[in-house]
Structures are given as structure tokens and as C-alpha cells.
Amino acid sequence: MRFGLILPSFSFPDLDYAKAARLREFAIRAEARGYDALWVVEHLLTACGLYGTAWLSPLETMAFAAGCTSRIKLATGILIAALRNPVFVAKDIASLQYLAGGRFELGLGVGWDAHEYEVAGVPLRQRGGRTDEILEIFERLWTGEPVTHRGRYYSFDDVVIDPPLPQKPFLWLAGGSKTKTDLSPDPEAMAPTVLERICHHADGWLARAAGSTDSVIADWAQIQRRLAELGRPPNSVTFGHLNFAHIVPTDDAAVALRVQRPLIERIMGTHRSFEHLQTCYLLGTPRDIRERIAEMAAAGLEYLVLSPLDYDLDQLDLWEDEIIRHFR
């Protein structure tokens, strides 16, 4: 199994220059330890009542990480492209790919926060259709050829993106089932449009963290069935999963959860019960976390992206000792 690290680019109210500068240390140490990629999360705004924080802007954070490192891959997990003009985003990604020496991988999703879409001037109900159209636009713009596009949501004439890309970035698409909460517009089950987008376009699927282990495994089985129907080989899409973890080196679940609870609630908010959060996120003792990962690995998980819950660099050592070495 390969492991990626989400940079802790949280926009907590107490964020200062020193905490932001720690991202450099995370990036350098992750590269030295052999992590596959550095990942960044996107939330433009703090979704009050849903999350406890926003995150720093993703492509800017990726450019910073590219400058701190030389070998490790860089990925968005995820970029909500439908909030933006696709021509500008295509240019930004092409520029980042050259600055990073070809290390960038593009993770896309549709997002879910109606307020973010409102301030972007985009109706939430258009998020899926816009994302599909953006994928088509990216594919054409990155060739460096003149593109005229007449779509449902976007229209432009004779646009050339320089520099052209030698090849398109590896494409991760996110989405899937989630544990029920009345505060999110997303259904509990994977939407058919999300399934089709993944199976037609993705190089990798990034299972969302807001579901349970059982729902992630069931979603992957559904993707495998649809790939077979489309004639795509089962290994043509990488099974990835993004989740949050904070290792407490103890065999006592009560002790571990007592340390983890304020950290996870600071990020996720308190609108969901702590029992709900335990269903979704990698909480509990190291053994508990390993067992959940092992269950997904048995179902085909190839790539796990882990996010720390704060700026604690010691977590990288604990992840290595308590999780990663068991799966390599």
C-alpha cells in the first residue's frame, strides 16, 4: 500500500506565520520518509455548523510545497473546480505542473457547501454538470491547440493554453456514500452521476472520509461492477481513500478517544455526535485503526491518504511505527 500525507493547512482562528511555516517541515519530512505524495484539502469557507475550519487555498499551497521539495508527488484532495473559471484553472494547473517538474496529480470533486457555491455565483444544483464539462475542457486545453467551446455552462473562442502539457495529470475523482446527517445536501448512497464520472474518467478513486468502512468497501464493489460493464480492466482505477488520524500510543480506547475528541471536533465541528465521528474517521487505539485499514486493504485499497489533526510533526513518526510499517 502507498501512503500520502495531507498537509495540515487548516485556517484555524489562531493560525499565525509560525504555524503556517510548519507546513515546510511537514513537506520536507514527508519526502525524506518516502511518502508517495503531499495532498491538500479545499474548503473556501468555514461551513459553520458543518466544519470548524476552512483550509488555505489549495493550488497556492501546492506551489509552496513544490518549492520545498524535489521528488515527492503533489495532489489536490480535492479541488472543487466548478467554483472557478475552467480556463483560469487549466492555466494554473499547467503552470504548477511545470514548476513542480511533472509531479502534480489532480484530485477533483464536486463539493457540497451551498454557501461556497453561492459566493462563487454558481447554483449548487449545477455542480455535477459543470464538473463534467470542465473535465472535457481540461482535456482539450492541455493539448496546446486552439479550443473553441460551446457548452451548457461555459463558452469561449480560440483559446490556447501555454505551456501545453506533455501529458494530462493523473486524475483522482472523489465521491461516494456518506453516513447520514441532515446538515449536508448529499444523499447517503453514491449518486449515479458520481459513479459514471469515476468509471468513465478516473485514473484513481478517492473514497470520501464521511462514510463508514462498510460503505467505502460497498462503493468500491459498485465501481468494480460498473467498470466491468464498461469494459475497463478492474485495475485501471486505483482504489484510494482519504481520512483523518491522530495516533495515541495506548491500548486503552478510552484514553485514545479522550485525546482525539477535541482535535477531531475542532476540525469537524460538533454537529455530529462523537459516535458518528468514530464511524467515519480513524479514531481509537492504533490497533483499532490498523484493523479498519486492513479491512479496506482486503477489499482492494491500494492508497491511503492520511491527514493529521493539528501541527504535531511527531505524528509522522507515530504513523510510521503504528500504521505504515504494518502495510508495507
Side-chain angles (χ1 to χ4, degrees):
M1 188 182 297
R2 290 179 291 153
F3 289 85
L5 165 68
I6 294 180
L7 289 172
S9 55
F10 308 114
S11 301
F12 289 135
D14 64 351
L15 180 67
D16 56 27
Y17 294 146
K19 291 187 180 72
R22 296 210 79 183
L23 297 182
R24 179 186 300 275
E25 298 177 61
F26 271 94
I28 292 170
R29 192 173 297 189
E31 181 170 68
R33 282 191 165 278
Y35 281 85
D36 183 75
L38 297 169
W39 292 70
V40 291
V41 172
E42 171 166 37
H43 273 288
L44 174 67
L45 307 174
T46 298
C48 296
L50 287 164
Y51 273 108
T53 184
W55 277 258
L56 300 179
S57 296
L59 294 178
E60 288 81 351
T61 304
M62 280 284 84
F64 172 83
C68 299
T69 58
S70 60
R71 303 181 308 279
I72 193 169
K73 294 175 186 175
L74 310 159
T76 49
I78 57 173
L79 184 74
I80 307 172
L83 294 175
R84 300 169 169 84
N85 180 299
V87 175
F88 282 81
V89 179
K91 177 75 172 188
D92 288 344
I93 290 172
S95 301
L96 177 57
Q97 189 68 292
Y98 275 93
L99 292 171
R103 292 183 283 148
F104 178 71
E105 297 187 351
L106 176 61
L108 279 183
V110 299
W112 50 263
D113 187 355
H115 192 197
E116 290 184 344
Y117 274 91
E118 179 185 352
V119 299
V122 177
L124 183 69
R125 66 180 181 276
Q126 295 179 1
R127 55 184 173 159
R130 284 179 179 268
T131 300
D132 291 334
E133 192 169 328
I134 286 169
L135 287 171
E136 176 192 346
I137 290 170
F138 283 174
E139 187 97 16
R140 298 171 63 202
L141 282 177
W142 285 330
T143 66
E145 298 297 320
V147 176
T148 293
H149 180 80
R150 292 284 180 271
R152 182 176 181 182
Y153 302 107
Y154 306 102
S155 181
F156 51 83
D157 294 309
D158 197 28
V159 170
V160 177
I161 289 294
D162 292 318
L165 289 178
Q167 61 185 31
K168 68 174 185 176
F170 188 96
L171 178 63
W172 293 91
L173 290 178
S177 302
K178 61 182 286 295
T179 304
K180 180 177 175 56
T181 171
D182 294 333
L183 295 176
S184 170
D186 288 351
E188 291 179 68
M190 180 186 290
T193 52
V194 172
L195 177 65
E196 292 303 305
R197 186 176 304 120
I198 292 165
C199 292
H200 281 88
H201 300 289
D203 300 307
W205 171 55
L206 199 61
R208 65 192 303 171
S212 66
T213 300
D214 288 342
S215 70
V216 168
I217 292 171
D219 283 350
W220 179 241
Q222 190 177 3
I223 290 169
Q224 290 286 284
R225 289 192 297 271
R226 184 60 180 141
L227 288 174
E229 292 170 359
L230 294 172
R232 288 190 67 179
N235 62 353
S236 63
V237 175
T238 300
F239 177 5
H241 179 49
L242 181 154
N243 214 311
F244 295 77
H246 184 90
I247 297 298
V248 182
T250 178
D251 294 327
D252 188 326
V255 171
L257 293 171
R258 189 160 54 246
V259 173
Q260 293 161 346
R261 182 169 186 169
L263 296 172
I264 193 71
E265 287 182 344
R266 189 183 189 200
I267 296 169
M268 300 300 167
T270 56
H271 67 285
R272 292 176 283 180
S273 70
F274 189 50
E275 290 71 26
H276 184 130
L277 296 178
Q278 291 175 67
T279 298
C280 300
Y281 306 109
L282 297 178
L283 303 175
T285 67
R287 179 185 293 276
D288 294 334
I289 293 171
R290 288 196 301 269
E291 287 176 353
R292 286 187 63 176
I293 296 170
E295 191 175 349
M296 290 186 284
L301 181 67
E302 303 171 72
Y303 197 116
L304 182 60
V305 188
L306 292 170
S307 174
L309 304 185
D310 58 15
Y311 307 103
D312 182 3
L313 277 162
D314 290 341
Q315 282 295 304
L316 298 186
D317 298 324
L318 289 167
W319 286 357
E320 181 69 38
D321 293 341
E322 300 288 357
I323 298 178
I324 294 174
R325 68 183 180 87
H326 296 271
F327 294 94
R328 281 181 173 161

